[in-house]
Amino acid sequence: APELLERAADKVADAEHFDAIVADEGQDFRELWWLGLEKLYRASAKSRPMYVFYDPKQVIYQMQTTVPSGLSVPYPLSTNCRNTKLIAKYCAEVVEIPPRTRDEAPEGVAPRISEVKNQQELVRSVQNTVQEWCLRERGGLQLSQVAILTQSSHVRLPERIGNIPLVTDMGI
């Protein structure tokens, strides 16, 4: 993949390259990815700023993480700005840090963790939750407001839950 990125960067006109790069989830980048990203700078860029959002408590893909050399001193972002207070509190407990949220963050609903023993129980649990959230007479959420995340790419969910279609490829 890093080689493909470098080849793509070589094929794109310099005007389509960038003056600065922001990399999110930097803890999951492998060393060669940084070299590929470097190729995306515009040749005329006087400085080549790179901002890397990196959380060592969220390392997913590898044990040994790398970051590009020459980055400035880290600036810690210790306030959770993406979640409700109750989700932030739960996540902070999991990684053993104090929960910090904005005062104006919504309280939200406490996370509900479901443990299942097999594929059939998983599908049933997902069906119940999606129906609870999306059916008009229950939660009334829009389908675009719901995402189902699983621990394994081997999980096979049905194409529909009742009248609710499931999309498995979000193009991410």
Side-chain angles (χ1 to χ4, degrees):
E3 290 175 27
L4 291 173
L5 177 61
E6 286 189 46
R7 278 192 257 152
D10 289 339
K11 289 183 179 185
V12 174
D14 188 61
E16 301 296 323
H17 286 205
F18 304 98
D19 293 320
I21 293 176
V22 177
D24 196 10
E25 305 296 348
Q27 71 276 357
D28 294 325
F29 281 55
R30 296 178 189 246
E31 189 170 357
L32 292 177
W33 274 98
W34 299 115
L35 299 173
L37 284 177
E38 295 270 337
K39 290 240 179 194
L40 295 174
Y41 282 112
R42 192 171 286 154
S44 62
K46 292 183 176 125
S47 65
R48 294 179 161 204
M50 179 179 285
Y51 301 93
V52 179
F53 291 89
Y54 175 105
D55 186 344
K57 293 195 180 274
Q58 292 186 17
V59 173
I60 294 174
Y61 297 112
Q62 56 189 31
M63 299 304 287
Q64 182 71 29
T65 60
T66 64
V67 292
S69 61
L71 288 180
S72 299
V73 176
Y75 181 82
L77 301 173
S78 57
T79 301
N80 185 322
C81 298
R82 304 189 327 186
N83 301 115
T84 64
K85 289 180 180 180
L86 289 174
I87 290 174
K89 180 179 182 285
Y90 176 82
C91 293
E93 288 170 2
V94 168
V95 295
E96 300 175 344
I97 61 173
R100 292 190 186 107
T101 57
R102 301 170 311 161
D103 291 339
E104 64 273 14
E107 191 69 20
V109 178
R112 182 176 71 197
I113 307 303
S114 300
E115 292 188 31
V116 296
K117 296 178 184 157
N118 56 43
Q119 176 78 16
Q120 186 178 7
E121 281 186 25
L122 172 67
V123 170
R124 192 175 318 116
S125 178
V126 168
Q127 286 175 330
N128 291 339
T129 301
V130 170
Q131 287 176 347
E132 177 185 329
W133 291 349
C134 295
L135 292 177
R136 242 180 261 123
E137 62 274 8
R138 294 187 186 175
L141 288 177
Q142 298 295 315
L143 297 178
S144 61
Q145 293 176 292
V146 176
I148 301 167
L149 306 176
T150 64
Q151 287 183 317
S152 172
S153 61
H154 304 296
V155 172
R156 299 288 176 239
L157 294 172
E159 291 183 14
R160 305 181 79 71
I161 295 178
N163 292 330
I164 302 169
L166 298 182
V167 178
T168 58
D169 182 5
M170 298 299 294
I172 298 174

